[in-house]
Amino acid sequence: MSKAAAHAAIEAVARHSYGRLIAYLASRTRDIVGAEDALSDAFAAALERWPVDGIPDKPEAWLLHVARNRIIDAVRRQQVREKSEKALLALAEEAQNMAAEQERFPDERLKLLFVCAHPAIDPASRTPLMLQTVLGIDAARIASAFLVSPSAMGQRLVRAKAKIRDAGIPFRVPDPAEWDERVSYVLDAIYSAYTTGWESLTDVGSTHQALAAEAISLGRTLVELMPAEPEAHGLLALMLHCEARREARFTASGEFVPLDQQDTSLWSRSMIAEAESHLRQAAALKRIGRYQLEAAIQSIHAARADTGRIDWAEILVLYEGLVRIAPRIGSLVGRAVAMAQAVDPASGMSALEEIAVSQVATYQPYWAARAHLLQLLHRNEEAREAFARAASLTDDPALRNYLFKRSAECQ
Amino acid sequence: MKYAILVYQPQEAFDRRDSASIAAGKAYGEALQAAGVLVGGAGLESPKSATTVTLRDGKRHVQDGPYAETKEYLAGFGIIDVPDLDAALEWAARHPAAAHSSIEVRPLLGSHFLTAAGAAQ
């Protein structure tokens, strides 16, 4: 066994099974830090042993066996009560049985996702926690994607993991009574990873772009773990529809291109097809939700690739539904724009003016939408100001340039 | 795992206390007991009745009033023994004061050593 082959095998296990290994260990001890430490010891042991002994038949079971021994040692050192020792011995036995028998160790990643997005965890920590524990992304990379210093992100993650352990947050799949709410926290955390990866895309190959890919990978994992949850399919469909347009969002020289003017030949047909397939699967489950509606809106935009037109009336219907179940500012703004296109600019403007100005003072899409509608209404002076205000609220240089250009055009 | 359920209320809530709210608190305690999760607990008199003691450089200082002047004061506490945070939060949400006060749920120190046992069940 060459050293290189052993290293490649270890990397492959880490890439494919990291989240499952952490989830399995942590779900039995409720201690993510302890599970991470034990697993990293196990990987270190593999680096030492596998080049000499060869790659074990069941690499994951081998790693779990080493990791649970580390956990038991660590707990013995802390001299905790007999009661918890019994539980750890049960864990040891379970790990041993898995090594001996054919069965693959149970997949506890769903429980881990619910823990990461538990309402008792600070919402700002939920997405980073998922990225780190389920996908194994290191804190420094997560920090750069979220525009915080590595040490601040490290602290945030440490605090969240300590809270899970010390507060006794259970690793379990929620009851039907709380299912929808708890699922929505998981979906929101994954979508937040996607939008963080989406907002600044001008530098190709950046951490941001990688983060969008990781979010989609989490979305796929979620669909695999809860195939009967329509909103999981809806979220994945939404992310895939947006991702399909990545190449079309900017010109070769880096200028921003709004959705309705994008060159549809640059859209990824395969991603659109995958998104549509998930939307159909969601529809078959017959329970509508926020993400399915948002994905359906994107699906209508995607249809322009075939029909050459945008069915704004249908988009308006979907926004009406979205506003009813999730009256977010973004949905209210989207509805107003759809109304301007489907009915007339004045109706769109009055829908926009129903939103309290205090709620949108720093919300860039509101000011861009407002400016656009003002321009349609030939209120050029106000439109010019609104575009400039929108431009000053974005941190994306390409979008800022585009909005300033629109502002200058309002003469 | 053992958790403290800490009820915080503004001064007005203490002033407004009546027989109905006291009866509701008592019924809540009985429900905890009936479920076999109650370790102990009590409602507290108004912070106006509080006295604060500190020891500095070996000298005892006694002062009228609660530890800190805040918007909300500790109005009662319960200690419960339940499997995990979700169960504790469920009990906290059932507290009669939950609709108008804040209920803080906090594990007792050292209490999480039991969780590994809970998780293996």
mmCIF file of all heavy atoms in Angstrom, chain B residues 51-80:
data_model
loop_
_atom_site.group_PDB
_atom_site.id
_atom_site.type_symbol
_atom_site.label_atom_id
_atom_site.label_comp_id
_atom_site.label_asym_id
_atom_site.label_seq_id
_atom_site.Cartn_x
_atom_site.Cartn_y
_atom_site.Cartn_z
ATOM 1 N N THR B 51 -33.875 42.248 49.848
ATOM 2 C CA THR B 51 -32.714 42.850 50.513
ATOM 3 C C THR B 51 -31.471 42.234 49.882
ATOM 4 O O THR B 51 -31.428 41.022 49.657
ATOM 5 C CB THR B 51 -32.728 42.537 52.021
ATOM 6 O OG1 THR B 51 -34.013 42.844 52.528
ATOM 7 C CG2 THR B 51 -31.648 43.306 52.748
ATOM 8 N N THR B 52 -30.488 43.041 49.566
ATOM 9 C CA THR B 52 -29.292 42.539 48.892
ATOM 10 C C THR B 52 -28.085 42.619 49.829
ATOM 11 O O THR B 52 -27.861 43.641 50.472
ATOM 12 C CB THR B 52 -29.026 43.342 47.608
ATOM 13 O OG1 THR B 52 -30.184 43.229 46.790
ATOM 14 C CG2 THR B 52 -27.831 42.810 46.846
ATOM 15 N N VAL B 53 -27.355 41.520 49.871
ATOM 16 C CA VAL B 53 -26.185 41.433 50.750
ATOM 17 C C VAL B 53 -24.929 41.284 49.889
ATOM 18 O O VAL B 53 -24.928 40.528 48.927
ATOM 19 C CB VAL B 53 -26.292 40.192 51.668
ATOM 20 C CG1 VAL B 53 -25.086 40.119 52.606
ATOM 21 C CG2 VAL B 53 -27.579 40.235 52.457
ATOM 22 N N THR B 54 -23.875 42.011 50.196
ATOM 23 C CA THR B 54 -22.578 41.779 49.558
ATOM 24 C C THR B 54 -21.519 41.729 50.648
ATOM 25 O O THR B 54 -21.674 42.329 51.716
ATOM 26 C CB THR B 54 -22.210 42.913 48.576
ATOM 27 O OG1 THR B 54 -22.361 44.160 49.255
ATOM 28 C CG2 THR B 54 -23.075 42.913 47.335
ATOM 29 N N LEU B 55 -20.451 41.001 50.359
ATOM 30 C CA LEU B 55 -19.329 40.939 51.288
ATOM 31 C C LEU B 55 -18.112 41.474 50.559
ATOM 32 O O LEU B 55 -17.686 40.905 49.544
ATOM 33 C CB LEU B 55 -19.115 39.477 51.704
ATOM 34 C CG LEU B 55 -18.280 39.240 52.960
ATOM 35 C CD1 LEU B 55 -18.996 39.774 54.198
ATOM 36 C CD2 LEU B 55 -18.010 37.748 53.129
ATOM 37 N N ARG B 56 -17.573 42.604 51.015
ATOM 38 C CA ARG B 56 -16.406 43.192 50.346
ATOM 39 C C ARG B 56 -15.328 43.458 51.389
ATOM 40 O O ARG B 56 -15.605 44.118 52.403
ATOM 41 C CB ARG B 56 -16.787 44.523 49.685
ATOM 42 C CG ARG B 56 -17.781 44.404 48.551
ATOM 43 C CD ARG B 56 -17.165 43.796 47.273
ATOM 44 N NE ARG B 56 -18.162 43.662 46.224
ATOM 45 C CZ ARG B 56 -18.982 42.612 46.077
ATOM 46 N NH1 ARG B 56 -18.917 41.586 46.920
ATOM 47 N NH2 ARG B 56 -19.849 42.587 45.096
ATOM 48 N N ASP B 57 -14.141 42.952 51.121
ATOM 49 C CA ASP B 57 -13.027 43.111 52.071
ATOM 50 C C ASP B 57 -13.438 42.664 53.464
ATOM 51 O O ASP B 57 -13.147 43.335 54.454
ATOM 52 C CB ASP B 57 -12.558 44.572 52.098
ATOM 53 C CG ASP B 57 -12.127 45.056 50.725
ATOM 54 O OD1 ASP B 57 -11.516 44.231 49.988
ATOM 55 O OD2 ASP B 57 -12.421 46.212 50.375
ATOM 56 N N GLY B 58 -14.167 41.566 53.494
ATOM 57 C CA GLY B 58 -14.564 41.014 54.788
ATOM 58 C C GLY B 58 -15.684 41.763 55.472
ATOM 59 O O GLY B 58 -16.111 41.392 56.564
ATOM 60 N N LYS B 59 -16.185 42.805 54.852
ATOM 61 C CA LYS B 59 -17.228 43.599 55.497
ATOM 62 C C LYS B 59 -18.571 43.367 54.818
ATOM 63 O O LYS B 59 -18.665 43.348 53.593
ATOM 64 C CB LYS B 59 -16.851 45.085 55.405
ATOM 65 C CG LYS B 59 -17.730 45.970 56.255
ATOM 66 C CD LYS B 59 -17.177 47.382 56.275
ATOM 67 C CE LYS B 59 -18.100 48.436 56.847
ATOM 68 N NZ LYS B 59 -19.386 48.055 57.324
ATOM 69 N N ARG B 60 -19.588 43.129 55.636
ATOM 70 C CA ARG B 60 -20.900 42.841 55.097
ATOM 71 C C ARG B 60 -21.677 44.118 54.829
ATOM 72 O O ARG B 60 -21.765 44.988 55.684
ATOM 73 C CB ARG B 60 -21.674 41.969 56.089
ATOM 74 C CG ARG B 60 -22.906 41.362 55.492
ATOM 75 C CD ARG B 60 -23.618 40.512 56.502
ATOM 76 N NE ARG B 60 -24.441 41.327 57.390
ATOM 77 C CZ ARG B 60 -25.315 40.835 58.264
ATOM 78 N NH1 ARG B 60 -25.434 39.513 58.400
ATOM 79 N NH2 ARG B 60 -26.031 41.626 59.022
ATOM 80 N N HIS B 61 -22.206 44.233 53.609
ATOM 81 C CA HIS B 61 -23.057 45.375 53.272
ATOM 82 C C HIS B 61 -24.468 44.873 53.020
ATOM 83 O O HIS B 61 -24.662 43.914 52.287
ATOM 84 C CB HIS B 61 -22.563 46.077 52.002
ATOM 85 C CG HIS B 61 -21.186 46.636 52.144
ATOM 86 N ND1 HIS B 61 -20.940 47.902 52.651
ATOM 87 C CD2 HIS B 61 -19.975 46.097 51.875
ATOM 88 C CE1 HIS B 61 -19.631 48.110 52.673
ATOM 89 N NE2 HIS B 61 -19.029 47.032 52.212
ATOM 90 N N VAL B 62 -25.418 45.510 53.637
ATOM 91 C CA VAL B 62 -26.813 45.145 53.448
ATOM 92 C C VAL B 62 -27.522 46.343 52.848
ATOM 93 O O VAL B 62 -27.318 47.476 53.277
ATOM 94 C CB VAL B 62 -27.463 44.740 54.776
ATOM 95 C CG1 VAL B 62 -28.946 44.472 54.576
ATOM 96 C CG2 VAL B 62 -26.768 43.510 55.340
ATOM 97 N N GLN B 63 -28.298 46.053 51.791
ATOM 98 C CA GLN B 63 -28.944 47.154 51.096
ATOM 99 C C GLN B 63 -30.398 46.816 50.804
ATOM 100 O O GLN B 63 -30.722 45.661 50.477
ATOM 101 C CB GLN B 63 -28.202 47.380 49.776
ATOM 102 C CG GLN B 63 -28.148 48.823 49.372
ATOM 103 C CD GLN B 63 -27.362 48.985 48.089
ATOM 104 O OE1 GLN B 63 -26.722 48.052 47.610
ATOM 105 N NE2 GLN B 63 -27.420 50.168 47.536
ATOM 106 N N ASP B 64 -31.230 47.806 50.900
ATOM 107 C CA ASP B 64 -32.637 47.614 50.558
ATOM 108 C C ASP B 64 -32.767 47.452 49.051
ATOM 109 O O ASP B 64 -32.089 48.130 48.289
ATOM 110 C CB ASP B 64 -33.440 48.832 51.029
ATOM 111 C CG ASP B 64 -34.898 48.745 50.591
ATOM 112 O OD1 ASP B 64 -35.461 47.621 50.673
ATOM 113 O OD2 ASP B 64 -35.447 49.762 50.162
ATOM 114 N N GLY B 65 -33.631 46.548 48.627
ATOM 115 C CA GLY B 65 -33.933 46.420 47.201
ATOM 116 C C GLY B 65 -33.268 45.226 46.544
ATOM 117 O O GLY B 65 -32.395 44.585 47.142
ATOM 118 N N PRO B 66 -33.663 44.956 45.291
ATOM 119 C CA PRO B 66 -33.114 43.812 44.553
ATOM 120 C C PRO B 66 -31.688 44.088 44.083
ATOM 121 O O PRO B 66 -31.217 45.215 44.156
ATOM 122 C CB PRO B 66 -34.073 43.658 43.373
ATOM 123 C CG PRO B 66 -34.634 45.025 43.163
ATOM 124 C CD PRO B 66 -34.662 45.695 44.503
ATOM 125 N N TYR B 67 -31.033 43.066 43.555
ATOM 126 C CA TYR B 67 -29.641 43.146 43.132
ATOM 127 C C TYR B 67 -29.426 44.264 42.119
ATOM 128 O O TYR B 67 -28.473 45.017 42.202
ATOM 129 C CB TYR B 67 -29.210 41.793 42.557
ATOM 130 C CG TYR B 67 -28.012 41.882 41.653
ATOM 131 C CD1 TYR B 67 -26.782 42.310 42.147
ATOM 132 C CD2 TYR B 67 -28.124 41.574 40.302
ATOM 133 C CE1 TYR B 67 -25.695 42.413 41.322
ATOM 134 C CE2 TYR B 67 -27.027 41.672 39.476
ATOM 135 C CZ TYR B 67 -25.812 42.102 39.976
ATOM 136 O OH TYR B 67 -24.745 42.207 39.157
ATOM 137 N N ALA B 68 -30.309 44.366 41.143
ATOM 138 C CA ALA B 68 -30.131 45.416 40.147
ATOM 139 C C ALA B 68 -31.485 45.989 39.784
ATOM 140 O O ALA B 68 -32.477 45.277 39.752
ATOM 141 C CB ALA B 68 -29.454 44.853 38.901
ATOM 142 N N GLU B 69 -31.506 47.283 39.546
ATOM 143 C CA GLU B 69 -32.737 47.920 39.073
ATOM 144 C C GLU B 69 -32.856 47.625 37.591
ATOM 145 O O GLU B 69 -32.052 48.094 36.785
ATOM 146 C CB GLU B 69 -32.656 49.434 39.298
ATOM 147 C CG GLU B 69 -32.721 49.853 40.755
ATOM 148 C CD GLU B 69 -34.114 49.655 41.373
ATOM 149 O OE1 GLU B 69 -35.111 49.656 40.621
ATOM 150 O OE2 GLU B 69 -34.182 49.500 42.612
ATOM 151 N N THR B 70 -33.803 46.791 37.239
ATOM 152 C CA THR B 70 -33.983 46.468 35.823
ATOM 153 C C THR B 70 -35.459 46.600 35.487
ATOM 154 O O THR B 70 -36.284 46.888 36.347
ATOM 155 C CB THR B 70 -33.539 45.022 35.518
ATOM 156 O OG1 THR B 70 -34.254 44.147 36.390
ATOM 157 C CG2 THR B 70 -32.056 44.841 35.720
ATOM 158 N N LYS B 71 -35.770 46.357 34.229
ATOM 159 C CA LYS B 71 -37.174 46.425 33.806
ATOM 160 C C LYS B 71 -37.956 45.228 34.325
ATOM 161 O O LYS B 71 -39.124 45.335 34.643
ATOM 162 C CB LYS B 71 -37.254 46.453 32.273
ATOM 163 C CG LYS B 71 -37.025 47.827 31.679
ATOM 164 C CD LYS B 71 -37.752 47.929 30.350
ATOM 165 C CE LYS B 71 -37.530 49.275 29.703
ATOM 166 N NZ LYS B 71 -36.560 49.239 28.609
ATOM 167 N N GLU B 72 -37.269 44.078 34.375
ATOM 168 C CA GLU B 72 -37.965 42.865 34.795
ATOM 169 C C GLU B 72 -37.227 42.206 35.949
ATOM 170 O O GLU B 72 -36.001 42.220 36.013
ATOM 171 C CB GLU B 72 -38.069 41.898 33.612
ATOM 172 C CG GLU B 72 -38.934 42.458 32.498
ATOM 173 C CD GLU B 72 -39.440 41.381 31.557
ATOM 174 O OE1 GLU B 72 -38.628 40.542 31.162
ATOM 175 O OE2 GLU B 72 -40.646 41.394 31.231
ATOM 176 N N TYR B 73 -37.994 41.643 36.860
ATOM 177 C CA TYR B 73 -37.423 41.000 38.048
ATOM 178 C C TYR B 73 -37.798 39.527 38.070
ATOM 179 O O TYR B 73 -38.835 39.130 37.529
ATOM 180 C CB TYR B 73 -37.968 41.671 39.310
ATOM 181 C CG TYR B 73 -37.627 43.126 39.412
ATOM 182 C CD1 TYR B 73 -38.539 44.102 39.001
ATOM 183 C CD2 TYR B 73 -36.387 43.533 39.902
ATOM 184 C CE1 TYR B 73 -38.230 45.440 39.080
ATOM 185 C CE2 TYR B 73 -36.071 44.881 39.987
ATOM 186 C CZ TYR B 73 -36.996 45.836 39.576
ATOM 187 O OH TYR B 73 -36.677 47.163 39.653
ATOM 188 N N LEU B 74 -36.959 38.759 38.747
ATOM 189 C CA LEU B 74 -37.269 37.352 38.936
ATOM 190 C C LEU B 74 -38.533 37.240 39.783
ATOM 191 O O LEU B 74 -38.609 37.807 40.877
ATOM 192 C CB LEU B 74 -36.089 36.655 39.637
ATOM 193 C CG LEU B 74 -36.175 35.136 39.715
ATOM 194 C CD1 LEU B 74 -36.187 34.506 38.322
ATOM 195 C CD2 LEU B 74 -34.997 34.571 40.516
ATOM 196 N N ALA B 75 -39.540 36.547 39.243
ATOM 197 C CA ALA B 75 -40.835 36.471 39.928
ATOM 198 C C ALA B 75 -41.117 35.075 40.451
ATOM 199 O O ALA B 75 -42.025 34.885 41.264
ATOM 200 C CB ALA B 75 -41.946 36.890 38.972
ATOM 201 N N GLY B 76 -40.356 34.111 39.962
ATOM 202 C CA GLY B 76 -40.563 32.746 40.422
ATOM 203 C C GLY B 76 -39.601 31.824 39.710
ATOM 204 O O GLY B 76 -38.998 32.210 38.708
ATOM 205 N N PHE B 77 -39.431 30.638 40.255
ATOM 206 C CA PHE B 77 -38.545 29.677 39.608
ATOM 207 C C PHE B 77 -39.038 28.269 39.863
ATOM 208 O O PHE B 77 -39.727 28.004 40.849
ATOM 209 C CB PHE B 77 -37.106 29.832 40.118
ATOM 210 C CG PHE B 77 -36.941 29.473 41.561
ATOM 211 C CD1 PHE B 77 -36.592 28.175 41.933
ATOM 212 C CD2 PHE B 77 -37.157 30.419 42.554
ATOM 213 C CE1 PHE B 77 -36.452 27.835 43.269
ATOM 214 C CE2 PHE B 77 -37.022 30.079 43.897
ATOM 215 C CZ PHE B 77 -36.671 28.786 44.255
ATOM 216 N N GLY B 78 -38.691 27.403 38.931
ATOM 217 C CA GLY B 78 -38.978 25.989 39.117
ATOM 218 C C GLY B 78 -37.779 25.203 38.643
ATOM 219 O O GLY B 78 -37.050 25.648 37.757
ATOM 220 N N ILE B 79 -37.531 24.084 39.278
ATOM 221 C CA ILE B 79 -36.479 23.185 38.793
ATOM 222 C C ILE B 79 -37.192 21.942 38.281
ATOM 223 O O ILE B 79 -37.998 21.343 39.013
ATOM 224 C CB ILE B 79 -35.511 22.765 39.924
ATOM 225 C CG1 ILE B 79 -34.989 23.981 40.685
ATOM 226 C CG2 ILE B 79 -34.373 21.905 39.367
ATOM 227 C CD1 ILE B 79 -34.011 24.835 39.961
ATOM 228 N N ILE B 80 -36.927 21.578 37.033
ATOM 229 C CA ILE B 80 -37.565 20.379 36.490
ATOM 230 C C ILE B 80 -36.497 19.417 35.995
ATOM 231 O O ILE B 80 -35.386 19.826 35.650
ATOM 232 C CB ILE B 80 -38.560 20.703 35.352
ATOM 233 C CG1 ILE B 80 -37.863 21.441 34.200
ATOM 234 C CG2 ILE B 80 -39.725 21.545 35.880
ATOM 235 C CD1 ILE B 80 -38.722 21.567 32.955
#
